[in-house]
Amino acid sequence: MKFKCFYDNAVLLSGTHVMEGSGRMVVTAVGVNSQTGIIFTLLGAGVEEEEKKEKKGEAVEDGHQNTDCSHPPNHPIATIATDGAAGINAPGTASLINGKMQDGNMESNQIKVKKPDGAAAMEMQPLKSAEGGEADEKERKKVSAPKKEKSVLQGKLTKLAVQIGKAGLLMSAITVIILVLYFAINNFVLEKRPWMTECTPIYIQYFVKFFIIGVTVLVVAVPEGLPLAVTISLAYSVKKMMKDNNLVRHLDACETMGNATAICSDKTGTLTTNRMTAVQCYVGDVHYKEIPDPGVIPPKSLDLLINAISINSAYTTKILPPDKEGGLPKQVGNKTECGLLGLVLDLKRDYQPIRNQIPEEKLYKVYTFNSVRKSMSTVIKLPEGSFRMYSKGASEIVLKKCSHILNEVGEPRVFRPRDKDEMVKKVIEPMACNGLRTICVAYRDFASDPEPKWDDENNILTDLTAICVVGIEDPVRPEVPDAIQKCQRAGITVRMVTGDNINTARAIAIKCGIIHPGEDFLCIDGKEFNRRIRNEKGEVEQERIDKVWPKLRVLARSSPTDKHTLVKGIIDSTMADQRQVVAVTGDGTNDGPALKKADVGFAMGIAGTDVAKEASDIILTDDNFSSIVKAVMWGRNVYDSISKFLQFQLTVNVVAVIVAFTGACITQDSPLKAVQMLWVNLIMDTFASLALATEPPTEALLRRKPYGRNKPLISSTMTKNILGHAVYQLILIFTLLFAGEKIFDIDSGRNAPLHSPPSEHYTIIFNTFVMMQLFNEINARKIHGERNVFDGIFRNPIFCSIVFGTFAIQIVIVQFGGKPFSCQPLSLEKWLWCVFLGLGELVWGQVIVTIPNSHLRFLRRAGQLTHKDELPEEDVNEENEEIDHAERELRRGQILWFRGLNRIQTQIRVVNAFRSSLYEGLEKPDSRTSIHNFMTHPEFRIDDSTPSIPLIDDTDDDSARRRTKYSSQPSSPNKNNNAIDSGINLTIDISKSAASSSPASPLHSLETSL
């Protein structure tokens, strides 16, 4: 960074490295006011610090109120804040930020209005005023309290669980009431038995039995296994995702990723290898599309090229052997120079012996690379005493300084201007269109006598002889195009957001498959993006973003603010029926706000900073885009695993509750006893959640669209399966209940006395019911209407173990359970009948698959989130609440600001009237009490033509002058009372407000106390 003139944009951000030269700097922003502080505040860090500083500021203001009013500072810019706390809280201090004077008492969140993402409204703190300070403080604490929005699956499951719980409670209550009424009416009304005191314990035992049956129905109905299934599925997925290079920091991010509809990805290191590689070269008047064999290059040209690259590079730049066997060589230092050194190795040469022969201390003169030269040159002294300078840099810069070029035999020939133009058209432009960075390598010989004036750069860096033009690229990772194709097939839109130039970004996007020729897409840079999404005042408008993002595929030359604005715009968009679920990748500290804003933030494990990792939900340990696709696959697998479990559990729920309810009402006893129901509950909750939630994902998951936020949790296919299998099981169980004794020629178990021994009849019912659940568990593995329910069953050993283990335990319970389990041992024949009836579930499942879904439109909305009841009131989206709150504060701040300015304006006119003795020109203060009257006055006109928030990359002199022009507006000690926050520029007539500059003037006193 080099500054020649005082009017250059000489703004340094913290962390800037000074490469050469010296100078002085003024620290204008520290702490939360600095760029890093703004980023951390966006991330939500330092909230406690700000509260402490506010309290400290209030104490200072209370203690020095009189002093501040009577002794105002003589010059508002005289004090430059050098301490974080003092700069924020000291009354009257001011700081220069981005060329605009801001009041020292302003909070960092208000200063963020200069950031062109229009995020000030979201981040503003409530205004503390005498009218409602206490309520506002409570409201602010309420808003700033950390709340987490429920994920899509959590919201749907909560709603479904509440629905099932209410239905189960109702059924259990009705069961108990009917049992009690049936018993009472039958005994005391129909049979007219008197209530006998000695029979009271027996009656109580009956009532306790009825109550136990009711509780059993409730226990079976309530899906307490849902949280367990979700936890097991997420925990299992997270563990497996570690092997796929996804380190999950937040469990719900895994499930959210399954619903992702958009991915905003970086280019360097994510889509590409972050390894600059030479892929083309022009040497000896021949353009090689691939690195040639060293034998075809003229020996003289080859030697000059090898020496030029080896010597004219930073000696700290090296290519080291790979860390792992079979891996790629490790690049250390400047990536472009590493690409050139890689060219040396590709030409079967080694750069290290040349560096050993000419060590760094023997280099005669080095012209380091900078943004002005755009080249690097190194001078060495040859053995015969003459000098040779090797030079490399941007091809369009270095070729202009070349007067000769090496021909096909390695001899210099004249390089005329038309030859240069021809080379640009035939060599450099085709390379650039392929996304290559072009580097020209040249040299020049100098005589030893007289020795050249090395400080005269203009004469030294000219008359060069071109050796070679090299095309370097950061190659696309080989697995990325296929991964992006999978994303697109899965209904996920991939967008590239990069800081590289538009041509390179477009070329890489084409290679990756993000864009395809002939499609309707948008490739723009950050400047054009901001021009399209901002209005005349520089404010971001959602309507404008909605016109850009659907077709946007490549955003080049983008700043971190642009990425944050894009992500926020996509998430807040209401164009589509479903809200977009956005995933974002980032590696730098500046990417933190975008990572935090996104539904799922991916940080780079290798190149990522600690701040980026802290703001992210998932860390990619290999910085590879294909790992994101695996995260999508696992996320969808979580959703499907929960759906499989629900399909199985709801079938058991429906059957068990109806059997218990109907059986109790008709036979005065439940066919399934309490302990048996608890065993069934254990099967369908704990074991089933473990078996079905650990299904491994398949590529088939990526061949469908995302589910969407409002799609029912229970699809029509699942509803069909639940009802279909419930009908089969109910028919069989009621057949066995009312005709089982005749079919198997055994004693009936119906209407048995209170403490009768277990019956073989009811044991067959219980055993058949469990067998049907076991085989239906296999049916539950498929929820999209697939016929082959055994597909991939042996890839899940946990499922197989649980099915066989449950079967074994069932044998033990039936044969040896006895009275505790209300079971009578069964013969082999009866066991085979039970297993046969259970196997019928598999056959019946094939029948259900053939039924079209179009005839089953009822119960489709179970578990669906509607816009009205998407979340409980206490879990309302935190961001929406903040936006509404900020808009409210913004409007109130504007009113107070205009009210205060109205008083200032009136006092200016009073002072001017007294000075000029124009008493007749004095208007009443009431004449401009409204905002409209005030705004029409020429002294305080609103200038709509100039945006208060400059666009990104708008760093020309005109914009600098505009910023300087508006930096002279008066600063207000009141928080949230700055007109800049409202996006309105107030141009004050300086000639009429001259009185304000005097510390003793009434205007200054009013301004200080305002």
Side-chain angles (χ1 to χ4, degrees):
M1 193 176 290
K2 187 173 183 180
F3 306 115
K4 289 185 176 181
C5 307
F6 68 92
Y7 51 78
D8 279 350
N9 186 14
V11 177
L12 295 172
L13 298 179
S14 59
T16 302
H17 293 276
V18 179
M19 301 300 293
E20 58 179 326
S22 61
R24 296 181 181 181
M25 68 176 181
V26 178
V27 178
T28 59
V30 294
V32 292
N33 295 320
S34 67
Q35 192 71 23
T36 305
I38 290 170
I39 291 169
F40 273 97
T41 311
L42 266 176
L43 287 170
V47 175
E48 297 177 2
E49 294 177 14
E50 290 181 17
E51 289 177 357
K52 290 178 185 175
K53 289 175 182 179
E54 284 175 13
K55 291 177 184 176
K56 182 179 174 183
E58 289 169 10
V60 172
E61 287 171 9
D62 292 342
H64 299 85
Q65 189 174 5
N66 295 332
T67 308
D68 291 340
C69 292
S70 57
H71 301 286
N74 291 332
H75 215 290
I77 313 183
T79 308
I80 299 297
T82 55
D83 176 73
I88 294 172
N89 297 307
T93 61
S95 59
L96 284 172
I97 299 173
N98 293 342
K100 293 187 179 182
M101 191 182 81
Q102 297 294 325
D103 185 75
N105 288 336
M106 282 180 59
E107 301 212 0
S108 65
N109 288 338
Q110 292 170 280
I111 295 174
K112 269 183 281 184
V113 77
K114 264 73 67 195
K115 291 177 71 64
D117 62 349
M122 270 92 70
E123 302 299 328
M124 286 176 60
Q125 297 293 332
L127 175 69
K128 288 185 188 175
S129 63
E131 299 158 19
E134 221 171 295
D136 291 341
E137 181 68 17
K138 289 178 184 175
E139 195 172 4
R140 185 183 71 80
K141 285 183 180 175
K142 182 182 176 184
V143 169
S144 61
K147 290 183 209 166
K148 188 150 185 75
E149 183 183 356
K150 283 187 178 180
S151 70
V152 180
L153 186 60
Q154 284 175 330
K156 291 179 180 180
L157 286 175
T158 301
K159 182 178 173 67
L160 183 66
V162 169
Q163 290 174 343
I164 296 174
K166 288 179 180 177
L169 184 62
L170 182 65
M171 291 294 290
S172 65
I174 292 174
T175 303
V176 174
I177 292 170
I178 289 178
L179 285 171
V180 172
L181 288 176
Y182 188 94
F183 177 80
I185 293 171
N186 187 53
N187 283 282
F188 303 120
V189 177
L190 297 179
E191 296 185 9
K192 297 181 179 180
R193 293 177 184 173
W195 181 286
M196 301 174 64
T197 310
E198 58 270 17
C199 293
T200 301
I202 298 174
Y203 297 152
I204 291 175
Q205 287 182 29
Y206 270 106
F207 291 145
V208 169
K209 177 186 174 184
F210 299 154
F211 180 75
I212 289 174
I213 292 172
V215 171
T216 305
V217 171
L218 179 62
V219 168
V220 172
V222 173
E224 70 273 13
L226 267 181
L228 179 65
V230 174
T231 305
I232 289 175
S233 182
L234 288 174
Y236 177 78
S237 300
V238 166
K239 183 180 177 183
K240 292 293 183 182
M241 284 172 75
M242 269 298 296
K243 297 179 180 178
D244 287 337
N245 303 305
N246 283 276
L247 175 60
V248 180
R249 298 183 65 250
H250 301 135
L251 272 179
D252 56 346
C254 175
E255 172 262 316
T256 305
M257 197 59 210
N259 293 290
T261 57
I263 298 175
C264 297
S265 174
D266 281 340
K267 177 182 75 69
T268 306
T270 309
L271 300 174
T272 61
T273 59
N274 198 19
R275 295 176 55 85
M276 299 304 288
T277 309
V279 293
Q280 294 185 25
C281 67
Y282 179 89
V283 60
D285 289 338
V286 181
H287 184 189
Y288 296 98
K289 296 296 179 70
E290 294 180 353
I291 301 302
D293 187 87
V296 302
I297 301 177
K300 186 176 180 182
S301 299
L302 183 61
D303 290 338
L304 282 169
L305 178 61
I306 301 301
N307 281 281
I309 293 175
S310 302
I311 296 171
N312 189 31
S313 298
Y315 277 33
T316 54
T317 301
K318 299 176 182 177
I319 295 182
L320 302 177
D323 294 333
K324 299 178 182 177
E325 189 176 351
L328 294 170
K330 191 176 178 182
Q331 294 185 344
V332 179
N334 184 280
K335 296 295 182 183
T336 303
E337 291 184 346
C338 285
L340 292 173
L341 292 177
L343 174 63
V344 173
L345 299 178
D346 290 341
L347 294 173
K348 309 293 189 293
R349 297 293 188 94
D350 191 2
Y351 60 87
Q352 197 56 48
I354 299 172
R355 289 183 173 181
N356 294 338
Q357 186 180 352
I358 306 176
E360 200 167 2
E361 55 269 15
K362 286 190 178 181
L363 301 179
Y364 199 81
K365 175 72 175 177
V366 177
Y367 299 93
T368 57
F369 180 90
N370 62 33
S371 58
V372 177
R373 296 191 188 107
K374 292 192 183 297
S375 64
M376 175 184 178
S377 303
T378 303
V379 180
I380 61 170
K381 195 168 186 177
L382 298 176
E384 62 270 17
S386 60
F387 299 96
R388 175 169 290 171
M389 180 182 70
Y390 295 111
S391 186
K392 74 169 188 296
S395 56
E396 64 273 14
I397 301 295
V398 177
L399 283 176
K400 287 179 183 177
K401 300 175 182 178
C402 290
S403 59
H404 294 79
I405 187 170
L406 297 182
N407 60 15
E408 64 275 3
V409 294
E411 296 296 329
R413 67 170 174 84
V414 178
F415 195 42
R416 294 167 294 185
R418 67 181 182 187
D419 295 334
K420 297 177 185 177
D421 295 338
E422 188 178 356
M423 177 175 281
V424 168
K425 290 179 181 177
K426 293 186 176 179
V427 178
I428 295 175
E429 284 184 358
M431 285 185 179
C433 289
N434 288 329
L436 305 184
R437 181 181 297 174
T438 53
I439 304 293
C440 181
V441 182
Y443 79 102
R444 181 184 176 184
D445 288 331
F446 297 92
S448 58
D449 189 23
E451 186 173 338
K453 294 180 180 179
W454 301 113
D455 292 335
D456 188 4
E457 282 189 39
N458 292 332
N459 289 327
I460 295 294
L461 299 177
T462 187
D463 198 22
L464 303 177
T465 301
I467 305 172
C468 178
V469 174
V470 183
I472 298 177
E473 75 166 351
D474 187 2
V476 174
R477 290 179 182 265
E479 64 273 15
V480 162
D482 183 50
I484 289 178
Q485 189 179 5
K486 288 178 182 177
C487 283
Q488 292 168 342
R489 195 166 56 235
I492 301 172
T493 303
V494 181
R495 293 178 176 87
M496 180 196 293
V497 184
T498 178
D500 218 329
N501 68 71
I502 186 73
N503 291 326
T504 303
R506 187 187 289 111
I508 297 295
I510 292 173
K511 290 180 181 178
C512 292
I514 293 176
I515 58 179
H516 302 281
E519 287 185 352
D520 186 16
F521 57 82
L522 204 58
C523 292
I524 56 176
D525 58 14
K527 194 169 184 179
E528 174 67 13
F529 175 70
N530 279 278
R531 188 188 68 77
R532 293 190 181 206
I533 67 171
R534 296 180 187 277
N535 58 18
E536 296 78 13
K537 296 179 181 179
E539 298 165 343
V540 177
E541 291 185 351
Q542 186 62 44
E543 295 80 13
R544 291 173 179 251
I545 295 180
D546 287 343
K547 294 177 182 177
V548 175
W549 72 261
K551 293 183 180 179
L552 182 65
R553 293 297 178 270
V554 176
L555 180 58
R557 290 293 184 211
S558 64
S559 68
T561 302
D562 294 336
K563 183 186 283 190
H564 181 270
T565 304
L566 176 63
V567 172
K568 181 180 179 300
I570 296 176
I571 290 176
D572 293 345
S573 176
T574 55
M575 287 180 63
D577 296 335
Q578 307 283 349
R579 179 175 94 69
Q580 295 284 305
V581 179
V582 184
V584 172
T585 67
D587 53 8
T589 301
N590 290 339
D591 293 327
L595 290 170
K596 189 116 179 158
K597 177 66 181 174
D599 294 291
V600 181
F602 286 89
M604 302 301 147
I606 299 172
T609 62
D610 290 340
V611 173
K613 293 175 183 177
E614 191 65 30
S616 67
D617 300 297
I618 299 175
I619 297 174
L620 300 177
T621 55
D622 62 345
D623 292 10
N624 195 339
F625 184 85
S626 61
S627 299
I628 300 177
V629 181
K630 293 175 183 174
V632 172
M633 202 159 63
W634 277 106
R636 294 188 174 188
N637 188 62
V638 168
Y639 201 101
D640 278 10
S641 296
I642 303 304
S643 298
K644 292 171 186 176
F645 170 72
L646 271 176
Q647 177 176 298
F648 173 71
Q649 190 189 42
L650 290 179
T651 306
V652 185
N653 269 14
V654 170
V655 175
V657 170
I658 292 178
V659 166
F661 174 74
T662 310
C665 294
I666 296 176
T667 67
Q668 284 291 292
D669 191 13
S670 172
L672 300 173
K673 308 303 180 186
V675 178
Q676 295 173 352
M677 290 277 252
L678 292 176
W679 164 238
V680 170
N681 199 45
L682 184 66
I683 294 173
M684 75 177 191
D685 275 354
T686 310
F687 292 165
S689 62
L690 191 59
L692 294 171
T694 54
E695 287 277 334
T698 61
E699 290 287 338
L701 292 167
L702 297 175
R703 290 196 286 271
R704 60 169 174 79
K705 305 295 181 188
Y707 279 125
R709 300 181 78 87
N710 298 328
K711 182 164 181 170
L713 184 61
I714 302 174
S715 64
S716 57
T717 304
M718 292 171 60
T719 307
K720 179 181 69 177
N721 292 337
I722 292 169
L723 295 178
H725 289 291
V727 167
Y728 172 82
Q729 294 181 18
L730 286 172
I731 290 173
L732 279 182
I733 288 176
F734 283 133
T735 302
L736 291 174
L737 178 61
F738 296 109
E741 70 275 14
K742 298 175 183 176
I743 295 173
F744 292 102
D745 193 20
I746 54 177
D747 294 333
S748 173
R750 295 191 305 277
N751 300 317
L754 187 61
H755 295 293
S756 59
S759 67
E760 205 173 11
H761 181 199
Y762 275 20
T763 304
I764 291 175
I765 294 175
F766 166 60
N767 200 27
T768 304
F769 180 72
V770 172
M771 289 300 110
M772 288 191 293
Q773 305 316 320
L774 275 182
F775 289 103
N776 189 38
E777 195 167 349
I778 298 174
N779 280 325
R781 295 183 64 248
K782 304 298 177 184
I783 57 173
H784 297 296
E786 300 93 334
R787 285 195 175 275
N788 185 6
V789 294
F790 293 98
D791 182 33
I793 191 170
F794 295 111
R795 289 193 295 122
N796 187 5
I798 297 177
F799 182 89
C800 299
S801 304
I802 286 175
V803 169
F804 288 118
T806 305
F807 186 77
I809 296 173
Q810 178 67 16
I811 294 174
V812 173
I813 288 175
V814 171
Q815 297 302 115
F816 307 104
K819 193 166 185 180
F821 283 92
S822 302
C823 287
Q824 181 78 17
L826 300 177
S827 64
L828 180 61
E829 181 188 359
K830 295 184 177 67
W831 261 104
L832 291 175
W833 271 109
C834 293
V835 173
F836 173 74
L837 294 174
L839 276 169
E841 272 285 357
L842 299 176
V843 180
W844 183 249
Q846 298 301 309
V847 175
I848 293 174
V849 170
T850 59
I851 301 174
N853 291 352
S854 56
H855 301 304
L856 300 169
R857 296 201 173 272
F858 51 93
L859 293 180
R860 288 187 64 186
R861 299 181 66 81
Q864 180 176 1
L865 276 174
T866 60
H867 292 291
K868 185 175 178 181
D869 54 0
E870 183 164 354
L871 290 174
E873 193 171 332
E874 63 271 18
D875 292 328
V876 172
N877 190 344
E878 178 187 355
E879 290 149 3
N880 292 337
E881 188 173 315
E882 283 187 354
I883 291 171
D884 296 338
H885 183 75
E887 287 175 352
R888 191 164 62 248
E889 292 300 329
L890 184 61
R891 285 194 292 270
R892 196 171 69 175
Q894 287 176 345
I895 293 169
L896 290 175
W897 173 238
F898 284 128
R899 198 180 292 167
L901 278 180
N902 193 19
R903 289 156 60 188
I904 295 173
Q905 179 264 347
T906 304
Q907 191 156 355
I908 289 174
R909 293 185 57 79
V910 170
V911 172
N912 288 338
F914 274 107
R915 284 185 173 179
S916 59
S917 302
L918 294 176
Y919 297 98
E920 67 277 6
L922 180 62
E923 296 182 16
K924 294 180 181 179
D926 299 334
S927 64
R928 269 194 307 276
T929 52
S930 73
I931 290 178
H932 291 287
N933 288 337
F934 165 72
M935 290 166 67
T936 56
H937 197 264
E939 294 177 18
F940 294 88
R941 70 180 185 277
I942 291 184
D943 187 358
D944 286 331
S945 60
T946 308
S948 63
I949 306 175
L951 298 182
I952 296 295
D953 297 332
D954 189 13
T955 56
D956 56 356
D957 295 339
D958 292 338
S959 64
R961 281 193 289 273
R962 287 200 300 271
R963 287 195 295 268
T964 307
K965 176 181 177 182
Y966 293 111
S967 66
S968 60
Q969 53 189 329
S971 57
S972 167
N974 281 343
K975 298 173 183 176
N976 285 329
N977 274 8
N978 200 316
I980 296 176
D981 291 348
S982 63
I984 298 173
N985 293 322
L986 298 175
T987 309
I988 301 176
D989 192 338
I990 304 299
S991 64
K992 294 192 178 186
S993 59
S996 65
S997 61
S998 173
S1001 67
L1003 172 62
H1004 198 286
S1005 302
L1006 178 61
E1007 182 183 350
T1008 307
S1009 61
L1010 181 63

